[in-house]
Amino acid sequence: AQSVTQLGSHVSVSEGALVLLRCNYSSSVPPYLFWYVQYPNQGLQLLLKYTSAATLVKGINGFEAEFKKSETSFHLTKPSAHMSDAAEYFCAVSDQAGTALIFGKGTTLSVSS
Amino acid sequence: DVKVTQSSRYLVKRTGEKVFLECVQDMDHENMFWYRQDPGLGLRLIYFSYDVKMKEKGDIPEGYSVSREKKERFSLILESASTNQTSMYLCATRWGGYNYGYTFGSGTRLTVV
């Protein structure tokens, strides 16, 4: 069965600092991996997805993630945090049959000035 | 772009009521999903459907049922609402072939009193 683990339910950074949100997955087949962002009182917005093309995936708002098969990881990074990045972030996995997305429990990112 | 519309943004219902949550997608996609989102638990799959009149249980189907009479509409039904079903409910659809993705609705925040 597939599963996703997001390390750290809360991450706090200063404005301008590196953002690193951790995600590890478990899958018996090559996965598709996704990062979503949710701003307060809004739905989920896709940040980026990995579909076995390139291991380094660039997304919206300056975010990127690197697929590392040996570590079963798909960590999300941004070089310089902005106040507007404060939100909840979800990592998710699906297999290539594309049934349902399996989500991690989420990481809340706080950005201080 | 794929659009997923959930008919109600906020709902307040009484314990024991039968509750219908409606979701409509605009692109004739086959796969649709209902998730429940709770703080600290992420998104958990309730039910999904891969075609009209077809449905599969997700991870937490107890207390819920679904209906899919037309391809564009996927309804979540709470037969007898209980306070522990107070939550945010998110509908999604899967689109695309090899390079697939998922689009989510804005969510329905249900309060059962």
Side-chain angles (χ1 to χ4, degrees):
Chain A
Q2 296 169 313
S3 65
V4 173
T5 301
Q6 290 185 241
L7 298 175
S9 58
H10 288 88
V11 171
S12 297
V13 300
S14 299
E15 194 171 21
L18 172 71
V19 175
L20 171 61
L21 304 182
R22 300 178 185 274
C23 172
N24 288 89
Y25 70 92
S26 171
S27 176
S28 58
V29 297
Y32 280 26
L33 293 156
F34 302 76
W35 274 101
Y36 285 88
V37 61
Q38 185 179 40
Y39 298 102
N41 298 314
Q42 294 188 26
L44 294 178
Q45 180 181 5
L46 179 67
L47 275 177
L48 50 81
K49 67 178 180 180
Y50 167 76
T51 58
S52 75
T55 56
L56 183 62
V57 182
K58 294 188 182 297
I60 62 171
N61 301 340
F63 284 93
E64 63 182 36
E66 185 173 9
F67 173 70
K68 292 187 176 181
K69 184 178 179 180
S70 61
E71 299 177 7
T72 60
S73 69
F74 190 57
H75 301 331
L76 182 71
T77 60
K78 182 174 181 177
S80 177
H82 192 271
M83 297 293 285
S84 61
D85 294 326
E88 189 159 22
Y89 292 79
F90 293 96
C91 182
V93 63
S94 75
D95 62 32
Q96 289 185 1
T99 51
L101 277 176
I102 305 300
F103 284 86
K105 294 184 177 181
T107 298
T108 300
L109 175 66
S110 300
V111 182
S112 58
S113 57
Chain B
D1 285 356
V2 178
K3 186 174 181 181
V4 177
T5 302
Q6 294 183 232
S7 56
S8 302
R9 188 75 178 91
Y10 298 94
L11 275 179
V12 180
K13 297 293 183 180
R14 295 192 180 277
T15 301
E17 275 192 80
K18 189 170 186 176
V19 181
F20 293 85
L21 302 184
E22 304 290 345
C23 175
V24 176
Q25 49 106 346
D26 66 348
M27 295 289 285
D28 206 34
H29 297 295
E30 293 176 342
N31 294 278
M32 297 186 74
F33 309 87
W34 274 106
Y35 289 88
R36 169 177 173 160
Q37 182 182 7
D38 298 290
L41 298 179
L43 281 78
R44 294 177 292 168
L45 181 66
I46 305 172
Y47 266 98
F48 66 98
S49 169
Y50 50 91
D51 206 343
V52 175
K53 297 189 185 296
M54 307 300 287
K55 61 184 180 183
E56 292 285 343
K57 292 181 179 179
D59 298 319
I60 52 164
E62 295 79 18
Y64 303 95
S65 63
V66 291
S67 172
R68 188 140 182 229
E69 297 296 321
K70 294 184 177 180
K71 184 171 277 190
E72 68 269 19
R73 186 179 297 272
F74 190 34
S75 303
L76 180 68
I77 304 162
L78 287 66
E79 295 289 343
S80 178
S82 64
T83 55
N84 63 13
Q85 293 178 309
T86 292
S87 187
M88 170 70 89
Y89 291 88
L90 290 160
C91 175
T93 188
R94 176 181 172 271
W95 49 263
Y98 177 77
N99 187 23
Y100 64 84
Y102 300 79
T103 296
F104 285 79
S106 298
T108 296
R109 185 166 294 281
L110 173 67
T111 302
V112 182
V113 297

